């Protein structure tokens, strides 16, 4: 008798990602890639909070890695935002070790205040995961985001009016050199939770996930159910499809903007306002966003309204002053050029 259908589904999703990692690893060696010995097996880490999604992911990684030439480890991040969080992080690390993952590490971070509590926690978490990957020489880090998380991300982007890139949600592969992989983006949260129950995995339900003080929590427990009540079942699946379609369009526009950027800079590398004005708005705003991020603005804190303000220096110039942006970056128009720098 085979595994429970939900368990089979999560294992298949992880197996596909591990095969991708192995193929890329082998190709890198064949091309004379650096930072790895010819006989080294790639290390794949799972980012595990102890919740159902990430515990299911940890269990599937541990199971599949044993059948492949992959080393599997785990990282849990203690944000220090709740009483007893350090003890809980140690417990999660112990659970990952019991699954057979190695290395396993619990990392404590300090959460700042930029962009609000959710964004600040996310920034601190990803910084810790990046550092852990470098420390352990990991090829990839698996994240437990599900199709439901994708739907929530699309709706949050829509509510912020952040444009097509936000509507494209989370990518299956992202980060430097494709470090982050999301095997569960085509699986719903219910399937993942069923897999935990079938395997009798102990999980921790973060109270922040049901706290109405947090926007995503309100969306999860109030917004999406209301949409399904009004529009019928299938809203989550439709939003996930919207994410993929939007991602295809956004990727094409980003590529266009990357090619166009060199053509709107002068010999010293400064952006020329007249040439920027001649670009289609969707391309011009992408060029502006790339330039602002290059000067130090955090991408996660940079919203459409920020770029629109900078864009008005090109399209609605009336002698206005500098635009203050996240990351202490400012943009101003000066002598027909757009000057972007940290102030």
């Amino acid at each position: 008798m085979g595994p429970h259908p939900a368990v089979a589904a999560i294992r298949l999703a992880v197996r596909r990602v591990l095969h991708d990692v192995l193929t890329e690893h082998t190709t890198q060696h064949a091309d004379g890639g650096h930072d790895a010995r010819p006989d080294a097996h790639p290390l794949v880490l799972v980012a595990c909070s102890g919740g159902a999604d990430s515990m299911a992911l940890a269990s599937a990684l541990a199971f599949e890695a044993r059948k492949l030439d992959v080393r599997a480890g785990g990282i849990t991040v203690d944000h220090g935002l709740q009483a007893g969080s350090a003890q809980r992080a140690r417990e999660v690390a112990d659970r990952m070790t019991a699954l057979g993952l190695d290395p396993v590490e619990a990392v404590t971070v300090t959460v700042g205040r930029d962009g609000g509590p959710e964004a600040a926690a996310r920034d601190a978490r990803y910084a810790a995961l990046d550092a852990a990957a470098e420390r352990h020489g990991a090829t990839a880090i698996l994240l437990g985001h599900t199709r439901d998380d994708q739907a929530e991300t699309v709706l949050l982007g829509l509510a912020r009016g952040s444009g097509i890139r936000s509507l494209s949600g989370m990518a299956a592969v992202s980060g430097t050199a494709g470090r982050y992989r999301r095997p569960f983006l085509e699986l719903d949260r219910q399937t993942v939770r069923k897999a935990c129950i079938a395997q009798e995995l102990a999980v921790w339900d973060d109270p922040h996930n049901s706290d109405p003080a947090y926007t995503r929590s309100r969306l999860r427990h109030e917004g999406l159910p209301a949409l399904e009540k009004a529009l019928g079942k299938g809203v989550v699946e439709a939003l996930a499809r919207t994410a993929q379609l939007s991602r295809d369009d956004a990727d094409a526009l980003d590529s266009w903007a990357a090619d166009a950027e060199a053509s709107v800079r002068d010999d010293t590398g400064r952006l020329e306002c007249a040439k920027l004005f001649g670009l289609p708005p969707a391309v011009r705003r992408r060029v502006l966003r790339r330039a602002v991020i290059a000067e130090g603005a955090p991408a996660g804190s940079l919203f459409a309204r920020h770029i629109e303000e900078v864009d008005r220096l090109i399209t609605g110039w009336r002698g206005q002053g500098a635009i203050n942006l996240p990351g202490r970056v400012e943009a101003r128009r000066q002598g027909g050029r757009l000057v972007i720098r940290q102030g």
Side-chain angles (χ1 to χ4, degrees), residues 292 295-298 301-303 306 324-330 342:
V292 170
E295 292 300 323
S301 302
L302 196 61
F303 300 144
H306 296 126
N324 294 317
L325 301 163
R328 293 179 296 126
V329 173
E330 68 172 28
Q342 282 200 317

Side-chain angles (χ1 to χ4, degrees), residues 139-222:
T139 299
I141 299 178
L142 305 189
L143 304 176
H145 298 118
T146 65
R147 188 168 62 192
D148 299 76
D149 295 308
Q150 184 76 297
E152 292 162 8
T153 301
V154 172
L155 283 176
L156 287 170
L158 182 63
R160 287 196 298 261
S162 299
I164 195 171
R165 177 54 71 185
S166 284
L167 295 184
S168 67
M170 296 173 285
V173 179
S174 65
T176 303
R179 171 175 289 163
Y180 293 106
R181 311 292 174 111
R182 297 176 173 87
F184 290 171
L185 281 184
E186 295 185 8
L187 298 178
D188 59 43
R189 191 174 290 139
Q190 186 178 23
T191 296
V192 174
R193 187 168 287 274
K194 284 180 180 178
C196 289
I197 295 172
Q199 298 174 96
E200 298 182 346
L201 294 175
V203 300
W204 171 66
D205 290 317
D206 186 347
H208 282 175
N209 290 337
S210 57
D211 187 344
Y214 294 93
T215 304
R216 186 178 286 269
S217 174
R218 294 195 303 273
L219 181 59
R220 179 173 302 175
H221 297 286
E222 301 173 24

Side-chain angles (χ1 to χ4, degrees), residues 78 80 82-91 106 108:
D78 172 19
Q82 302 174 34
S85 63
Q87 174 62 30
R88 192 155 43 247
R90 288 191 293 270
E91 291 172 356
T108 302

Side-chain angles (χ1 to χ4, degrees), residues 196-273:
C196 289
I197 295 172
Q199 298 174 96
E200 298 182 346
L201 294 175
V203 300
W204 171 66
D205 290 317
D206 186 347
H208 282 175
N209 290 337
S210 57
D211 187 344
Y214 294 93
T215 304
R216 186 178 286 269
S217 174
R218 294 195 303 273
L219 181 59
R220 179 173 302 175
H221 297 286
E222 301 173 24
L224 269 173
L227 280 176
E228 290 204 331
K229 183 178 180 180
L231 302 176
K233 294 293 183 181
V235 169
V236 168
E237 292 86 345
L239 288 168
R241 285 197 302 274
T242 296
Q244 185 56 59
L245 293 170
S246 298
R247 179 166 299 280
D248 291 343
D249 290 349
D251 287 347
L253 287 168
D254 285 347
S255 178
W256 187 353
D259 292 340
E261 185 170 354
S263 70
V264 296
R265 291 185 181 273
D266 63 18
D267 293 339
T268 64
R270 294 182 300 174
L271 291 166
E272 296 187 68
C273 296

